[in-house]
Amino acid sequence: RKEVEQDPGPFNVPEGATVAFNCTYSNSASQSFFWYRQDCRKEPKLLMSVYSSGNEDGRFTAQLNRASQYISLLIRDSKLSDSATYLCVVNFPSGGKLIFGQGTELSVKP
Amino acid sequence: NAGVTQTPKFQVLKTGQSMTLQCAQDMNHNSMYWYRQDPGMGLRLIYYSASEGTTDKGEVPNGYNVSRLNKREFSLRLESAAPSQTSVYFCASRSRGTISYTFGSGTRLTVV
């Protein structure tokens, strides 16, 4: 089993749609969780951290369920500029290492 | 601009050749990391350096060596390149007390 698994993509949605990405992780000792965004052929960039109580940043909402070892990202009112690959990222308890999921590609169409 | 600088940006090697990928950060970060990214595989950790003077293997270290030359620089060496090492390589750094990374812009390596 992969340490971090994400929904397979790609997700093709129209502008204005709401889209949700899911992710599961295997190491129950993990303490920190993130969503990164990666544009085509560029480096990943931090989109948002994920907190136990859930957190929101504008149109983006992240949720964490520790009992189920499940993380989600909800994007409301999708924009063309949201088209990218979204990476679910979990820290490895020792050494500060981050483990990346394989990514889910989002394509927002006019 | 402050950040993580990787060189070269692109490289084509012949099987069996060697090369070193360079990475430098000017943010005074303690930890540095090398990842490779292949289609459908996400980013996989090759080696990391938690602090100056230390290096450790990650998930896919075979065929690679690293050197943490000083606090700023962390290089990745391919001693005898193989086609399976064709990939995009990302260097990242992290400050003590934080978890999130700053990434370099990547090196696109092709081994023929």
Side-chain angles (χ1 to χ4, degrees), chain A residues 40-62:
Chain A
C40 186
R41 301 178 68 79
K42 294 193 174 179
E43 72 273 23
K45 293 186 177 179
L46 179 65
L47 177 67
M48 60 194 301
S49 301
V50 185
Y51 302 115
S52 296
S53 55
N55 49 298
E56 191 173 300
D57 183 2
R59 298 181 292 108
F60 299 82
T61 301

Side-chain angles (χ1 to χ4, degrees), chain B:
Chain B
N1 292 334
V4 179
T5 302
Q6 291 184 236
T7 55
K9 293 190 183 304
F10 300 93
Q11 184 71 50
V12 179
L13 288 179
K14 293 182 178 179
T15 297
Q17 286 185 316
S18 62
M19 78 162 295
T20 300
L21 280 62
Q22 306 287 352
C23 176
Q25 52 89 12
D26 57 7
M27 298 171 287
N28 202 35
H29 285 176
N30 296 99
S31 303
M32 299 185 73
Y33 306 83
W34 275 106
Y35 285 85
R36 62 177 286 175
Q37 186 174 30
D38 303 295
M41 299 291 290
L43 278 80
R44 292 182 293 169
L45 183 64
I46 304 171
Y47 270 94
Y48 68 103
S49 172
S51 61
E52 186 179 355
T54 68
T55 60
D56 286 284
K57 294 179 180 179
E59 180 186 357
V60 288
N62 291 344
Y64 306 94
N65 286 301
V66 290
S67 296
R68 182 74 183 267
L69 304 171
N70 47 56
K71 192 171 186 180
R72 289 187 65 245
E73 298 173 287
F74 187 39
S75 62
L76 179 71
R77 182 161 178 83
L78 286 70
E79 291 290 352
S80 178
S84 61
Q85 295 178 305
T86 293
S87 189
V88 180
Y89 291 84
F90 288 104
C91 178
S93 69
R94 177 179 71 87
S95 176
R96 193 194 307 266
T98 68
I99 292 291
S100 64
Y101 289 7
T102 300
F103 279 90
S105 59
T107 295
R108 283 152 183 81
L109 176 67
T110 301
V111 182
V112 297

